[in-house]
Amino acid sequence: MSEQGKFITFEGIDGAGKSTHISFVADFLAARGKEIVSSREPGGTPLGEKLRDLLLHEKMHLETEALLMFASRREHMAQVIEPNLAAGKWVLSDRFSDASFAYQSGGRGMDRAKMEALEGWVHPQLQPDLTLLFDVPLEVARERLDATRALDKFEREQEEFFARCRAEYLRRAAQFPQRFAVIDSTRSIAVTQQAISEALEKLL
Ligand SMILES: Nc1ncnc2c1ncn2[C@@H]1O[C@H](COP(=O)(O)OP(=O)(O)O)[C@@H](O)[C@H]1O
Ligand SMILES: Cc1cn([C@H]2C[C@H](O)[C@@H](COP(=O)(O)OP(=O)(O)O)O2)c(=O)[nH]c1=O
């Protein structure tokens, strides 16, 4: 049997620069002989992409939102994450459960104990081997977002919402220092990628 692959997640508030760096990580690891599967949440499966469309565009109760995030995640684990890790591939996911803590608990204020219960139910064993948290002040994230695209339901939230999301991400990073690498992504893309490479080297 092949050795189990590694699971890497990418997190940060909208506009932090997360998507920019996923292909860099994929190329970095492929150059070192790893087979890579890149995916995202919410989404990553046909059903998950339908849920993503609802989640990004429909107004709903905050607990409905959390449950649908975890429904998408459950499907993503069954169809993509677990089988590929078992086959020895490295799975890169643009967001995972830390995003639910940041956005639904931090941002929207859902009871954290309920979130922990969902996490414990949906993935009692699985955690990322590495979580790259792209961290920037809110003004920088907002500037980058405004420069690039039409905003979805989350991206239209106010500054205080993202301040709470960012604080919850940093709280999670402090709680699980062994798997988190907090990447200061106010710096240039090249300098940021140097920091990412250092975090990846530790996994190889
Ligand atoms: N370190 C950086 N310095 C300057 N601009 C950046 C940096 N990282 C990303 N950007 C730019 O910011 C914008 C948003 O980045 P993106 O990766 O889409 O963010 P996210 O996926 O976190 O929402 C893009 O135009 C990207 O080129
Ligand atoms: C996975 C996840 C994402 N989200 C939100 C964060 C993002 O605003 C949004 C979509 O994430 P993302 O794919 O980062 O958006 P984009 O493609 O525009 O960069 O979903 C949650 O609120 N909870 C979650 O559990």
Side-chain angles (χ1 to χ4, degrees), residues 7-79:
F7 181 34
I8 304 178
T9 59
F10 296 73
E11 301 284 0
I13 57 172
D14 293 275
K18 172 178 61 62
S19 310
T20 304
H21 299 299
I22 294 179
S23 54
F24 168 77
V25 171
D27 292 346
F28 181 99
L29 293 171
R32 284 154 184 80
K34 306 300 176 194
E35 271 194 88
I36 306 300
V37 175
S38 277
S39 194
R40 69 171 179 183
E41 292 196 0
T45 63
L47 176 63
E49 291 296 324
K50 290 185 184 170
L51 294 172
R52 178 185 177 92
D53 193 42
L54 289 172
L55 281 160
L56 264 47
H57 302 108
E58 298 279 338
K59 271 188 88 106
M60 59 185 77
H61 187 276
L62 85 165
E63 291 188 353
T64 310
E65 191 174 272
L67 288 163
L68 288 181
M69 291 291 179
F70 272 94
S72 165
R73 183 161 300 133
R74 185 68 192 90
E75 194 65 17
H76 192 214
M77 285 170 57
Q79 306 282 341

Side-chain angles (χ1 to χ4, degrees), residues 13-21 144-145 148-149 155 185-189 192:
I13 57 172
D14 293 275
K18 172 178 61 62
S19 310
T20 304
H21 299 299
R144 288 181 184 169
L145 267 188
T148 51
R149 57 196 185 223
E155 291 164 344
S185 38
T186 50
R187 301 164 300 175
S188 71
I189 291 179
T192 305

Side-chain angles (χ1 to χ4, degrees), residues 101-120:
F101 279 87
Y103 282 75
Q104 279 66 52
S105 280
R108 299 236 193 275
M110 183 175 142
D111 179 8
R112 197 188 285 135
K114 288 186 180 174
M115 194 58 77
E116 283 165 352
L118 277 175
E119 182 187 40

Side-chain angles (χ1 to χ4, degrees), residues 29-181:
L29 293 171
R32 284 154 184 80
K34 306 300 176 194
E35 271 194 88
I36 306 300
V37 175
S38 277
S39 194
R40 69 171 179 183
E41 292 196 0
T45 63
L47 176 63
E49 291 296 324
K50 290 185 184 170
L51 294 172
R52 178 185 177 92
D53 193 42
L54 289 172
L55 281 160
L56 264 47
H57 302 108
E58 298 279 338
K59 271 188 88 106
M60 59 185 77
H61 187 276
L62 85 165
E63 291 188 353
T64 310
E65 191 174 272
L67 288 163
L68 288 181
M69 291 291 179
F70 272 94
S72 165
R73 183 161 300 133
R74 185 68 192 90
E75 194 65 17
H76 192 214
M77 285 170 57
Q79 306 282 341
V80 177
I81 301 173
E82 290 175 336
N84 281 302
L85 291 177
K89 297 183 185 163
W90 286 44
V91 178
L92 313 185
S93 186
D94 185 343
R95 301 191 185 280
F96 192 60
S97 294
D98 297 308
S100 298
F101 279 87
Y103 282 75
Q104 279 66 52
S105 280
R108 299 236 193 275
M110 183 175 142
D111 179 8
R112 197 188 285 135
K114 288 186 180 174
M115 194 58 77
E116 283 165 352
L118 277 175
E119 182 187 40
W121 179 35
V122 171
H123 55 98
Q125 310 296 336
L126 179 75
Q127 281 297 345
D129 295 289
L130 172 67
T131 298
L132 294 167
L133 172 56
F134 295 94
D135 187 53
V136 291
L138 305 186
E139 318 78 73
V140 176
R142 180 49 58 182
E143 244 167 59
R144 288 181 184 169
L145 267 188
D146 287 345
T148 51
R149 57 196 185 223
L151 304 183
D152 65 36
K153 184 180 94 180
F154 292 100
E155 291 164 344
R156 286 196 302 270
E157 287 289 345
Q158 301 303 309
E159 214 170 289
E160 309 78 73
F161 175 87
F162 289 109
R164 293 192 301 273
C165 292
R166 184 185 184 203
E168 179 64 13
Y169 266 135
L170 292 171
R171 194 196 64 78
R172 292 278 286 174
Q175 190 180 358
F176 303 109
Q178 70 289 0
R179 76 172 161 91
F180 266 90

